[in-house]
Amino acid sequence: MALVEITPQEYDVEIDIVYATDRNFTGAPIYKRPACYLHQDAAACLKKASIIARRQGVKFRLLDAFRPQEAQRALWNHTPNADFVANPDIGSPHGRGVAIDLTLLDENGKELDMGTGFDEMDIKSYHGADGLSHAAEANRLLLLGIMVSAGFEYYEHEWWHYQLPKARTRYPLFSDSSLSVPMMG
């Protein structure tokens, strides 16, 4: 199977799958089971990124990774905003297992200031946004440098979202039934 499970031990990351909680923009859990999967190609890049992050004295907190097509449809139905939510008819890099949403933690496990929260649908979430504190801008640039160095590309509207290049043309979409233990229920 092209999707592999990401575990804290193997990848040296913290995992907090926000869409399995009510702490997401819908206010309700989307996934019934919090799980973190990536395509094997993206998993290899994440492992490299985690090593680079550790050299910089930081660690990742993963907020979302593979997102079943059923979940993408639920998010789109709630908020059909193409700047922040991919239309499920086109498909998301998350639905291909090659996108990851993440933030940085300091050596004490505290999230670094990124200027906005995860999934904050605002122009201040854009890469290069004006009006951020010096610390927030520096933290975003650190995350950007780590992820790009490891083989990911960024999405200009979301400081937290990284994906493999040519995601929509090189990788197929997966549904919840692709998993041996479904996330959706």
Side-chain angles (χ1 to χ4, degrees), residues 36 38 58 67 69 71 101 103 145-146 162 166:
C36 188
L38 284 174
V58 294
R67 182 182 304 151
Q69 276 295 92
D101 295 337
T103 191
I146 292 168
Y162 290 86
K166 300 180 183 174

Side-chain angles (χ1 to χ4, degrees), residues 92-165:
S92 164
H94 282 287
R96 293 167 163 81
V98 296
I100 192 161
D101 295 337
L102 71 173
T103 191
L104 292 173
L105 304 175
D106 69 14
E107 63 277 355
N108 299 312
K110 182 179 180 228
E111 282 192 18
L112 297 183
D113 175 14
M114 295 299 203
T116 69
F118 166 66
D119 263 0
E120 194 167 319
M121 296 183 190
D122 186 274
I123 196 165
K124 288 203 179 263
S125 293
Y126 289 20
H127 283 275
D130 291 331
L132 299 177
S133 70
H134 175 76
E137 189 167 37
N139 292 334
R140 286 187 187 187
L141 289 171
L142 176 59
L143 179 60
L144 176 68
I146 292 168
M147 296 302 286
V148 170
S149 294
F152 289 95
E153 64 182 14
Y154 68 96
Y155 174 59
E156 66 182 329
H157 293 170
E158 299 175 350
W159 62 259
W160 56 83
H161 176 99
Y162 290 86
Q163 63 192 38
L164 294 185

Side-chain angles (χ1 to χ4, degrees), residues 35-108:
C36 188
Y37 293 92
L38 284 174
H39 187 281
Q40 59 195 12
D41 294 351
C45 290
L46 176 63
K47 196 168 273 192
K48 182 177 178 184
S50 184
I51 292 167
I52 297 168
R54 276 305 190 183
R55 288 197 307 251
Q56 297 303 311
V58 294
K59 184 176 183 174
F60 296 127
R61 175 172 288 151
L62 309 184
L63 305 168
D64 196 32
F66 166 64
R67 182 182 304 151
Q69 276 295 92
E70 299 87 343
Q72 191 65 40
R73 173 94 33 218
L75 295 174
W76 179 259
N77 288 345
H78 184 276
T79 307
N81 178 343
D83 283 343
F84 292 97
V85 181
N87 182 331
D89 294 335
I90 298 168
S92 164
H94 282 287
R96 293 167 163 81
V98 296
I100 192 161
D101 295 337
L102 71 173
T103 191
L104 292 173
L105 304 175
D106 69 14
E107 63 277 355
N108 299 312

